[in-house]
């Protein structure tokens, strides 16, 4: 459901609707799906275009973290994948912004030319082979660091009186 915010989803368990996700923006979809984890004021969207792919990310701010990597999710062309190198890229992007042993909340959506990625290396299509994995790794780190640095500059430019309201 996270990769398809333009489709509404309803989850029924024993004939009772447990979750309803209406059509929304990608950021709103994540906030609705994880109401008890993501906090609206601390969750932001960022997007960067690169030569052969685009990275769109919904990122938790530095004060929003967990003790495990469970809420770092990577999607490639709307498919959720498990790629350790890209999870590691998210960790690297947050280096210096989170306490030791803590991990960010992040959903990374990569839209890439299908010729540059092979989903046929795993029966469930959860693993992929990239022709430009190193380039994507660096781009994820750069996207996250640009976002975090812009957040830091925004807070530093706020007057002391305004900081009391943050």
């Amino acid at each position: 459901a996270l990769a398809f915010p333009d489709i509404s989803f309803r989850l029924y368990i024993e004939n009772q609707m447990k979750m309803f996700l209406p059509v929304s923006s990608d950021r709103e979809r994540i906030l609705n799906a994880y109401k008890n984890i993501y906090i609206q004021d601390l969750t932001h969207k960022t997007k960067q275009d690169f030569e052969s792919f685009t990275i769109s990310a919904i990122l938790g701010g530095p004060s929003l973290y967990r003790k495990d990597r469970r809420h770092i999710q990577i999607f490639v062309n709307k498919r959720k994948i498990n790629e350790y190198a890209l999870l590691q890229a998210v960790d690297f992007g947050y280096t210096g912004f989170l306490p030791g042993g803590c991990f960010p909340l992040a959903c990374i959506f990569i839209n890439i030319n299908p010729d540059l990625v092979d989903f046929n290396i795993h029966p469930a299509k959860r693993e992929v082979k990239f022709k430009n994995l190193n380039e994507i790794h660096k781009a994820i780190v750069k996207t996250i660091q640009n976002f975090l640095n812009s957040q830091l500059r925004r807070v530093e430019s706020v007057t002391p009186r305004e900081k009391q309201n943050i």
Side-chain angles (χ1 to χ4, degrees):
L2 297 181
F4 297 92
D6 53 331
I7 300 172
S8 66
F9 288 87
R10 289 175 177 85
L11 172 64
Y12 288 90
I13 299 175
E14 297 179 10
N15 292 327
Q16 288 189 340
M17 187 167 53
K18 298 295 183 177
M19 181 183 290
F20 172 61
L21 299 172
V23 172
S24 62
S25 69
D26 47 2
R27 180 177 173 271
E28 289 299 317
R29 172 59 55 95
I30 290 165
L31 290 169
N32 288 330
Y34 295 110
K35 288 179 184 173
N36 299 329
I37 298 167
Y38 282 83
I39 300 169
Q40 183 156 347
D41 295 345
L42 302 176
T43 304
H44 309 276
K45 179 178 180 174
T46 188
K47 182 178 178 183
Q48 278 195 264
D49 294 317
F50 296 89
E51 189 174 319
S52 58
F53 57 91
T54 299
I55 294 177
S56 177
I58 309 300
L59 303 171
S63 61
L64 198 59
Y65 54 84
R66 296 183 55 93
K67 294 289 184 183
D68 58 40
R69 286 187 178 94
R70 218 173 46 197
H71 288 285
I72 301 174
Q73 299 183 57
I74 310 288
F75 297 85
V76 175
N77 294 352
K78 298 195 178 233
R79 292 182 182 174
K80 187 170 191 260
I81 64 159
N82 297 322
E83 175 57 59
Y84 182 74
L86 300 184
L87 291 174
Q88 193 178 45
V90 175
D91 286 343
F92 288 162
Y94 275 88
T95 298
F97 288 93
L98 298 179
C102 294
F103 301 96
L105 278 70
C107 289
I108 308 294
F109 299 92
I110 302 166
N111 189 12
I112 188 169
N113 181 331
D115 294 337
L116 298 176
V117 62
D118 182 5
F119 286 98
N120 294 320
I121 66 167
H122 188 271
K125 314 267 191 252
R126 295 270 219 191
E127 296 175 14
V128 297
K129 183 174 181 177
F130 291 96
K131 290 186 178 175
N132 57 346
L133 180 62
N134 192 37
E135 181 184 354
I136 293 170
H137 186 283
K138 288 177 184 176
I140 289 173
V141 173
K142 179 181 178 181
T143 299
I144 293 170
Q145 288 178 342
N146 287 347
F147 159 73
L148 292 170
N149 286 324
S150 74
Q151 292 297 303
L152 189 60
R153 282 190 300 275
R154 185 184 66 80
V155 170
E156 288 173 349
S157 68
V158 174
T159 65
R161 184 176 184 101
E162 290 172 318
K163 284 184 184 178
Q164 292 173 350
N165 296 326
I166 292 179

